Amino acid sequence: MWFYNLCMIIYAALIRLAAPFYPKAQLWCAGRKGMYERMRCAIGDDKNIVWIHVASLGDFEQGRPLVDYIKENYPDYKILLTFFSPSGYEVRKDYKNADYVFYIPIDTKRAVRQFLDIVEPKVAIFVKYEFWLNMLLALRERNVRTFIVSAIFRRNSIFFNPFGGIWRKALRSFEMFFVQDEKSKELLAKIGVTNVVVAGDTRFDRVVDVAESGKRVALIEQFKGDKRLFVAGSTWGPDEEILLPLINANPDIKFVIAPHEMEELRIKRLMSEIEGGAVRYTQLPEEGFANKQVLILDTMGLLSRVYGSAEWAYVGGGFGAGIHNTLEAAVYGLPVAFGVKYRKFKEACDLIALGVGRSVKNERELQLWFDELKSDSGYLARLSVIAKVYVGQHCGTTEKVVKTIFSN
């Protein structure tokens, strides 16, 4: 444990050193400066708090259904929402269904104690992957009811490593594990953890809510016009390398590209290499965009609705740490392609098994996949039905989880 504590101290120090040079590190530090005093002022004597923690903006979409459901059905509780990353906090710090929104403190004993002394949560809910050792051990010592939701465990995780004893000890802090699949339950059983419910993934509930709202982005509909639309969401550089040849080979198709990071150099390079013309969402010209083939979605919060205007989708991240949210596209019945690093994501594996998803290694494989779908409308329609049915069959996790927590 001493080594973990040392790592936390070193990590915080490195972030502070990086702050003058990296905007995200600067936000990370600024958001935690004076945080405890701001929390005291905001929370005051309100001690009937449900604390929900997510790491980033992507994980917020997984935790959002929990926030919304508790807010609507358990109004006696106040909801504290915390983030680790600026990518989530800066975008959702004013989220209307959370009573308080803050960063989670760095996971040292002193910081954890200060945080819990102020919050005194009745219930703590962690989403998916968040395992902070000092925080979990402190919650257990204080007898705070603690849960993890939409969790997924893999054989190579530290919990199943011979040297993972301290991490296995931290798992005892959870009153219940709500996991995504049977494999996770089986793995936990092998280390003696049996308080496990296979509940599924709350993201299904979120994407269905968005799709059923029927909201479209007016400018995207105008951009599309009477053409067919391909949306590439959460892309990184390697994704864009294989997308550019596809775009230039299909001048009759409109494309929306939503970069995961709004890096000016990458966006400018994209626009310069697109032969059919490109325009940025935030810089639409007065003359409109009827003669532009590609729209760069250089803003946050619209992508999940933009997919609703499309016929096909590509989801980025598969040539880096892992793909982003394929369900945002599948809920609209879109066949979806992505890179090679998808195996950690159950829904992506499911979509491949159903024929709706396709992993591609290079531009040639992406073009072959697209050509088949573009030329066969019947095939596209069949896949669309399969995708919608798959997403619909996996809804209901949020209600199941919250009712289980609050019925005890």
Side-chain angles (χ1 to χ4, degrees):
M1 192 68 182
W2 66 267
F3 182 71
Y4 174 85
N5 289 327
L6 178 61
C7 287
M8 287 295 104
I9 293 169
I10 293 172
Y11 178 81
L14 290 174
I15 292 288
R16 285 192 287 270
L17 287 172
F21 311 101
Y22 295 97
K24 278 192 173 181
Q26 189 174 44
L27 289 170
W28 193 94
C29 294
R32 287 169 171 81
K33 187 175 182 180
M35 184 178 75
Y36 300 120
E37 187 57 38
R38 286 184 281 115
M39 288 178 66
R40 287 190 188 93
C41 292
I43 295 174
D45 295 327
D46 192 347
K47 301 303 180 185
N48 204 32
I49 290 176
V50 174
W51 170 33
I52 298 175
H53 175 66
V54 298
S56 61
L57 185 59
D59 292 331
F60 168 76
E61 291 301 313
Q62 210 155 17
R64 180 173 178 165
L66 299 168
V67 176
D68 295 347
Y69 192 92
I70 293 170
K71 185 70 173 179
E72 181 178 353
N73 294 279
Y74 299 89
D76 291 341
Y77 287 93
K78 297 288 180 134
I79 297 173
L80 166 65
L81 176 66
T82 61
F83 291 89
F84 177 78
S85 167
S87 70
Y89 177 81
E90 294 300 325
V91 176
R92 293 301 184 184
K93 58 187 175 184
D94 297 315
Y95 186 59
K96 61 182 177 63
N97 280 347
D99 298 282
Y100 318 108
V101 183
F102 288 96
Y103 281 100
I104 194 172
I106 189 69
D107 195 42
T108 62
K109 290 183 178 180
R110 181 171 178 269
V112 165
R113 182 173 63 253
Q114 286 180 280
F115 177 85
L116 292 178
D117 283 347
I118 296 167
V119 177
E120 296 183 26
K122 301 293 185 186
V123 176
I125 300 173
F126 294 83
V127 175
K128 198 173 183 178
Y129 290 137
E130 290 295 273
F131 301 98
W132 297 105
L133 295 187
N134 284 313
M135 183 65 77
L136 288 174
L137 295 174
L139 288 168
R140 186 181 181 194
E141 289 172 0
R142 295 175 183 235
N143 296 314
V144 176
R145 301 184 67 213
T146 304
F147 304 86
I148 191 162
V149 176
S150 296
I152 191 161
F153 291 85
R154 301 182 182 87
R155 193 176 304 279
N156 61 354
S157 297
I158 194 168
F159 306 103
F160 313 108
N161 187 298
F163 305 102
I166 188 65
W167 294 90
R168 289 189 288 275
K169 181 180 178 182
L171 294 181
R172 299 175 198 163
S173 301
F174 293 107
E175 181 177 323
M176 186 72 68
F177 296 78
F178 296 100
V179 299
Q180 291 188 29
D181 57 17
E182 286 289 344
K183 288 182 180 178
S184 294
K185 183 176 181 179
E186 291 168 6
L187 284 170
L188 289 169
K190 289 180 180 179
I191 57 173
V193 177
T194 57
N195 50 329
V196 182
V197 174
V198 180
D201 189 343
T202 52
R203 283 183 303 166
F204 285 92
D205 298 321
R206 172 60 188 155
V207 298
V208 168
D209 284 345
V210 172
E212 289 183 346
S213 73
K215 295 178 181 177
R216 295 288 187 269
V217 181
L219 284 174
I220 300 298
E221 291 289 314
Q222 293 172 30
F223 168 73
K224 178 182 179 181
D226 58 359
K227 297 289 186 70
R228 292 184 290 176
L229 180 66
F230 186 115
V231 174
S234 303
T235 61
W236 296 80
D239 301 302
E240 291 149 14
E241 290 292 333
I242 68 170
L243 283 163
L244 279 169
L246 181 75
I247 293 168
N248 290 332
N250 292 275
D252 57 324
I253 302 297
K254 293 274 193 171
F255 287 81
V256 169
I257 301 177
H260 184 71
E261 300 284 351
M262 307 301 172
E263 298 172 355
E264 285 299 315
L265 287 177
R266 256 181 51 214
I267 290 175
K268 288 178 180 177
R269 177 179 171 249
L270 267 175
M271 295 182 70
S272 69
E273 296 187 16
I274 292 167
E275 296 170 2
V279 62
R280 296 173 67 155
Y281 183 89
T282 59
Q283 299 176 9
L284 294 177
E286 291 182 6
E287 64 270 21
F289 39 59
N291 62 337
K292 305 294 185 182
Q293 185 194 6
V294 178
L295 187 149
I296 308 294
L297 192 67
D298 57 344
T299 188
M300 304 287 287
L302 296 181
L303 179 59
S304 59
R305 288 191 286 139
V306 170
Y307 283 121
S309 298
E311 281 74 34
W312 315 273
Y314 178 94
V315 174
F319 296 100
I323 59 172
H324 295 281
N325 193 350
T326 55
L327 295 178
E328 289 181 334
V331 70
Y332 293 104
L334 306 188
V336 55
F338 39 80
V340 296
K341 294 186 179 178
Y342 66 87
R343 290 178 177 81
K344 291 182 179 180
F345 304 89
K346 181 181 182 299
E347 68 282 359
C349 296
D350 289 346
L351 291 173
I352 286 177
L354 292 168
V356 175
R358 179 72 61 87
S359 173
V360 296
K361 299 185 183 71
N362 49 46
E363 62 187 70
R364 179 178 176 276
E365 290 190 359
L366 179 62
Q367 183 70 65
L368 288 172
W369 169 80
F370 182 65
D371 286 346
E372 185 179 13
L373 292 167
K374 181 183 176 183
S375 62
D376 191 337
S377 59
Y379 178 45
L380 180 63
R382 290 193 297 275
L383 291 185
S384 180
V385 171
I386 292 169
K388 289 178 180 178
V389 169
Y390 167 73
V391 175
Q393 287 175 337
H394 289 79
C395 293
T397 296
T398 302
E399 182 176 7
K400 183 189 303 183
V401 166
V402 176
K403 284 188 173 180
T404 300
I405 292 173
F406 286 90
S407 64
N408 296 326

